Amino acid sequence: MTAVSGGDSGGVATRVPEDRYGRSADERADRTLKIVGSVLGVLLLGVVGWIGYGSISAGSKLSGEMIKFDVVSDKAVEVHLEVRKDADANGYCTLRSQAENGAEVGRADFRFDQDKGRVDKVVTLRTAERATSAELVGCHAD
């Protein structure tokens, strides 16, 4: 027989019978936080997926990569480009070149209207003075 007296229990722990009074406030708050966190997590994943899909599907139909460049003279740079595009897409890629002091010495657009999905092409970028670098600025579909 267990006696419960008012005041100090003298080291005897009294426990409330489980399931008699329902969940405690802490358990309800934890459950609410878990639900809210799950909903926000799902929404965040949805937004990230939507943005990712939009950038891929609405992205450029033409993209390029500069494989290498060679300074062939004081007035020209040869640039090897690899362009990937939809076979029916037309567009251009912009290249620029800089001198040793960082000044831009050449810039030009090169068209890619071939009916292929992948085009490898070496183009010559004319420069105003000797270049030390070449850079693919970007590619754009028409």
Side-chain angles (χ1 to χ4, degrees), residues 19-138:
D19 297 331
R20 178 180 278 185
Y21 301 107
R23 292 191 174 131
S24 72
D26 287 342
E27 289 174 340
R28 282 192 299 272
D30 286 347
R31 185 167 190 264
T32 303
L33 285 175
K34 287 178 185 177
I35 291 170
V36 169
S38 297
V39 169
L40 290 176
V42 168
L43 286 175
L44 178 65
L45 284 174
V47 168
V48 169
W50 179 64
I51 290 171
Y53 176 77
S55 69
I56 290 171
S57 64
S60 176
K61 293 182 175 183
L62 189 123
S63 66
E65 180 181 353
M66 184 174 70
I67 306 300
K68 68 175 186 169
F69 73 92
D70 290 318
V71 178
V72 293
S73 73
D74 287 344
K75 300 287 183 180
V77 177
E78 283 186 353
V79 180
H80 180 186
L81 290 176
E82 180 180 294
V83 176
R84 295 184 186 277
K85 62 185 190 75
D86 292 346
D88 60 343
N90 295 323
Y92 63 94
C93 292
T94 303
L95 294 173
R96 79 175 188 152
S97 139
Q98 293 177 306
E100 188 172 351
N101 65 2
E104 185 175 288
V105 294
R107 179 180 285 258
D109 294 333
F110 296 93
R111 301 260 340 142
F112 293 92
D113 296 334
Q114 298 87 338
D115 290 332
K116 295 192 247 176
R118 182 176 167 268
V119 180
D120 270 333
K121 189 173 183 180
V122 176
V123 296
T124 301
L125 176 61
R126 304 224 180 269
T127 60
E129 59 184 75
R130 186 160 190 89
T132 57
S133 70
E135 175 185 10
L136 175 62
V137 176

